[in-house]
Amino acid sequence: MLTVLLTGCANTEGPSDARRPAATGDPSTAPGVDGEADPKRVFTEAELKAALPPAGALGRHAKVVARDLGHFGGAGGDWSQCAAGYDLRMEVSRFRAASVQQTVHRTRVAENDRIVTVLLASMPAGRSERQLEIQRRLHEICPNVTVDTEAAPVQEHRQVEDVAALGDEALLKSVRQTGGDEYDGTPSYTVDVRVGGVLVIVMGGGDKETCISYAARTAQWIRAELYAAGGTSG
């Protein structure tokens, strides 16, 4: 189990102290909101967009290069060749949620390992909790999946582990691709965090530390910006 430490992601444009949640325990963690909020509370795409953390959370040279609505859906990856995961894939394909996605270049040069994407999705807390459980189960029962590409089939090797002290619950997911000259097995990382009914999904490429720390930073931001303000029920 991982314990989160925020390093190298100083927030230069964070919410004021008056709007931050009270610190609980280690200030480097991102506390959740279970037990403090209406479990049916959901937010609109406009509210999610307004609650996105600024590029400055990734450093003074970071720049937002894309921001789009409505990218949430599906099981997160190609699991179609895993027969054991069929029922789970069908279940999660029916989930609907308001969502927004933002892509940030961490430095002036847009290298692939310097790109971080964060997706926020809002749904009732019970459904977001089930979403994470489905992600965990898919990784456990389908750790190796064959994915067709234009060149040749590729093997995807997937792992998942819980991350401690980050939101109400969180998963660190990794995937390695092997097969052919193009895929060398270098892992890429995604962190899924649940803060009440809001899912924070951070895709950090091969930079695990930044992926985890930015997920923690975003979870703190969501707790302050959304759950300290209003939402709608649905």
Side-chain angles (χ1 to χ4, degrees):
M1 183 173 291
L2 300 177
T3 301
V4 177
L5 296 177
L6 291 182
T7 58
C9 290
N11 187 347
T12 60
E13 303 177 49
S16 66
D17 290 341
R19 298 170 67 191
R20 289 184 181 275
T24 56
D26 185 346
S28 68
T29 63
V33 298
D34 276 355
E36 302 175 24
D38 179 357
K40 295 183 179 180
R41 192 177 192 175
V42 296
F43 299 94
T44 66
E45 288 183 341
E47 289 172 312
L48 293 174
K49 184 176 180 180
L52 283 165
L58 280 172
R60 65 191 183 93
H61 295 304
K63 178 181 179 182
V64 174
V65 296
R67 186 176 290 157
D68 304 289
L69 302 179
H71 283 269
F72 175 80
D78 186 350
W79 304 91
S80 59
Q81 300 303 311
C82 176
Y86 177 82
D87 289 342
L88 293 173
R89 289 192 294 109
M90 292 300 99
E91 179 183 351
V92 78
S93 70
R94 295 190 289 269
F95 286 8
R96 298 292 181 269
S99 62
V100 60
Q101 180 172 293
Q102 176 172 281
T103 300
V104 176
H105 288 171
R106 293 170 52 202
T107 59
R108 293 188 180 97
V109 180
E111 300 172 355
N112 288 338
D113 63 347
R114 299 296 181 181
I115 296 174
V116 177
T117 299
V118 58
L119 185 148
L120 307 179
S122 177
M123 61 191 80
R127 186 166 295 174
S128 63
E129 186 173 5
R130 179 59 179 165
Q131 168 74 15
L132 286 195
E133 177 59 24
I134 289 174
Q135 288 292 313
R136 183 184 289 106
R137 291 287 297 131
L138 282 172
H139 280 76
E140 290 171 348
I141 65 179
C142 306
N144 299 294
V145 179
T146 300
V147 178
D148 290 328
T149 67
E150 293 182 0
V154 172
Q155 289 292 319
E156 289 193 346
H157 312 276
R158 298 174 178 268
Q159 293 182 313
V160 66
E161 57 184 301
D162 292 311
V163 184
L166 205 169
D168 292 307
E169 57 180 324
L171 301 176
L172 171 67
K173 303 182 297 185
S174 66
V175 57
R176 295 185 301 106
Q177 294 182 324
T178 57
D181 298 333
E182 198 174 340
Y183 304 96
D184 61 1
T186 300
S188 60
Y189 299 95
T190 301
V191 176
D192 291 6
V193 186
R194 182 175 69 83
V195 183
V198 175
L199 290 178
V200 176
I201 303 173
V202 175
M203 294 154 274
D207 190 337
K208 179 169 69 173
E209 288 73 21
T210 293
C211 191
I212 295 172
S213 63
Y214 192 53
R217 180 72 66 189
T218 304
Q220 288 178 323
W221 193 274
I222 292 304
R223 191 187 195 284
E225 295 295 306
L226 290 180
Y227 284 99
T232 59
S233 293

